[in-house]
Amino acid sequence: MRILLTGTNGQVGGALRPLLDKGGSVVAPLRAEFDLSKPETLAGALDSFKPDLIVNPAAYTAVDRAEDERELAFRVNAEAPGVIATWAARHRVPLVHFSTDYVFDGSGEGRWREDSHTGPLSVYGASKLAGDLAIRAAGGAHLIARTSWVYAAGGANFLRTIARLAGEREDLRIVADQVGAPTTASAIADAVAAIVLPNATNLEQWFARSSGILNLACAGETSWHGFASAIVAGLKSRGVKLAVKTITPIATADFPTKARRPGNSRLDLSRLKDRFGVTTPAWQDALSAELDHFVILQREQAGR
Ligand SMILES: NC(=O)c1ccc[n+]([C@@H]2O[C@H](COP(=O)([O-])OP(=O)(O)OC[C@H]3O[C@@H](n4cnc5c(N)ncnc54)[C@H](OP(=O)(O)O)[C@@H]3O)[C@@H](O)[C@H]2O)c1
């Protein structure tokens, strides 16, 4: 099986690469060879890659910058996935794509289901939602894994930001009224591999039965403040020296950002378990494993 994997230098793409390598021959073009900001070039590139499966974690993920780069965000997150999905439908090639909790308006305290009403608050969220809709409209076999609060030991993300700030400052002020599930890229990759790879010999038929959106995040919930507190406690317990003494909970209104973010990012994971038989780790367990990896990476980098 020939698998086209985009975004291989990103968090989710990087975690998927070694798992997909076990399931087939992976072609992982870099941005220069498969540039989602140039949707008009993608069908020709797909003709030459000739994949049997497309896995597309590449995306425009700069949430605040997207407010000023609306056109680019929509090209990468909506138009390009639409072109890929149209090519995939025409060639009967299944597509795995990734979506976000930012398609929701964050109201209430319930868990968002795959068919819950959407209402993005930001350009990024709107562009990702437009991508989901374009993929569905193309009519081919697809799985859209909708995830939240993604991080990895090696990416540009909340874990790395908190680790850096906690090393520099005595007090951190962190938003406590946005709730969701911090999710490791490796938990996402493990689940996608567990769902897709066992069906590799019969992918087209399997996707025909299983196409749609699938919520995919770590289990449990916390706020950014809770997540930051767990990161700091985990780093301290691993012997990392930090300057931070207090972590003060603040409201979203006290931390203005260019893009609005949903207050409620809880995703309902029942479909993942009931239809696909997959459970994800509790966010605390996933964080613990990622911190082990993070601390090793930091020590390696410091030793260089
Ligand atoms: N990060 C989150 O908190 C979060 C939350 C919910 C959902 N998601 C979704 O999950 C998926 C994976 O996110 P992630 O965190 O792994 O993202 P990431 O770490 O920011 O990586 C994004 C990848 O996309 C690539 N990319 C960006 N623009 C591109 C372009 N024009 N052409 C080709 N490639 C391009 C980047 O390439 P370069 O290496 O060249 O920069 C990078 O490899 C995305 O669909 C994202 O929307 C993310």
Side-chain angles (χ1 to χ4, degrees):
M1 179 169 61
R2 214 169 140 77
I3 305 171
L4 176 72
L5 173 66
T6 68
T8 193
N9 284 339
Q11 303 186 93
V12 173
L16 277 164
R17 176 74 201 252
L19 303 182
L20 295 182
D21 274 335
K22 292 180 196 150
S25 154
V26 176
V27 187
L30 296 178
R31 189 192 285 237
E33 303 159 89
F34 196 71
D35 188 343
L36 302 191
S37 71
K38 298 177 180 154
E40 68 285 357
T41 64
L42 300 179
L46 288 163
D47 285 340
S48 60
F49 293 137
K50 293 189 179 50
D52 305 305
L53 168 68
I54 302 170
V55 182
N56 182 43
Y60 180 108
T61 55
V63 175
D64 289 309
R65 204 164 66 226
E67 297 297 310
D68 295 324
E69 294 187 338
R70 185 184 178 88
E71 200 262 339
L72 178 59
F74 268 80
R75 229 182 311 137
V76 173
N77 289 347
E79 201 183 326
V83 169
I84 295 170
T86 302
W87 186 95
R90 189 175 307 133
H91 294 82
R92 303 166 72 91
V93 170
L95 168 65
V96 178
H97 183 73
F98 296 86
S99 180
T100 169
D101 53 308
Y102 283 18
V103 300
F104 298 115
D105 67 8
S107 58
E109 297 193 343
R111 293 192 167 269
W112 300 105
R113 295 172 57 90
E114 286 80 353
D115 58 359
S116 294
H117 71 89
T118 50
L121 303 172
S122 62
V123 168
Y124 167 74
S127 70
K128 291 293 293 180
L129 177 61
D132 298 355
L133 295 174
I135 289 170
R136 297 178 78 175
H142 66 271
L143 197 63
I144 300 174
R146 190 168 270 163
T147 188
S148 68
W149 298 21
V150 179
Y151 70 102
N157 55 51
F158 190 79
L159 163 60
R160 298 240 303 194
T161 303
I162 292 301
R164 177 174 55 78
L165 293 177
E168 297 167 0
R169 299 184 189 173
E170 291 198 352
D171 182 41
L172 299 182
R173 292 160 51 77
I174 309 289
V175 169
D177 57 1
Q178 292 171 28
V179 175
T183 300
T184 51
S186 62
I188 297 169
D190 286 347
V192 167
I195 290 168
V196 173
L197 293 184
N199 300 291
T201 51
N202 208 1
L203 267 190
E204 204 190 321
Q205 265 194 7
W206 180 83
F207 269 90
R209 285 196 311 272
S210 309
S211 273
I213 298 175
L214 178 65
N215 288 346
L216 171 42
C218 279
E221 65 185 56
T222 188
S223 65
W224 291 111
H225 177 267
F227 187 24
S229 303
I231 291 169
V232 166
L235 290 173
K236 283 186 175 166
S237 73
R238 285 165 179 77
V240 178
K241 299 246 175 311
L242 299 174
V244 71
K245 293 195 170 72
T246 51
I247 306 173
T248 307
I250 60 168
T252 299
D254 298 326
F255 186 71
T257 51
K258 203 144 208 179
R260 282 179 69 202
R261 284 153 169 86
N264 172 19
S265 282
R266 299 171 178 92
L267 297 177
D268 182 319
L269 302 177
S270 341
R271 180 176 290 178
L272 181 67
K273 181 160 179 276
D274 298 344
R275 191 185 291 182
F276 298 95
V278 171
T279 51
T280 45
W283 71 265
Q284 298 94 328
D285 295 339
L287 173 61
S288 180
E290 207 63 28
L291 282 175
D292 289 343
H293 188 195
F294 177 79
V295 169
I296 290 168
L297 275 182
Q298 295 292 103
R299 289 186 179 141
E300 279 173 7
Q301 280 163 11
R304 266 190 217 135

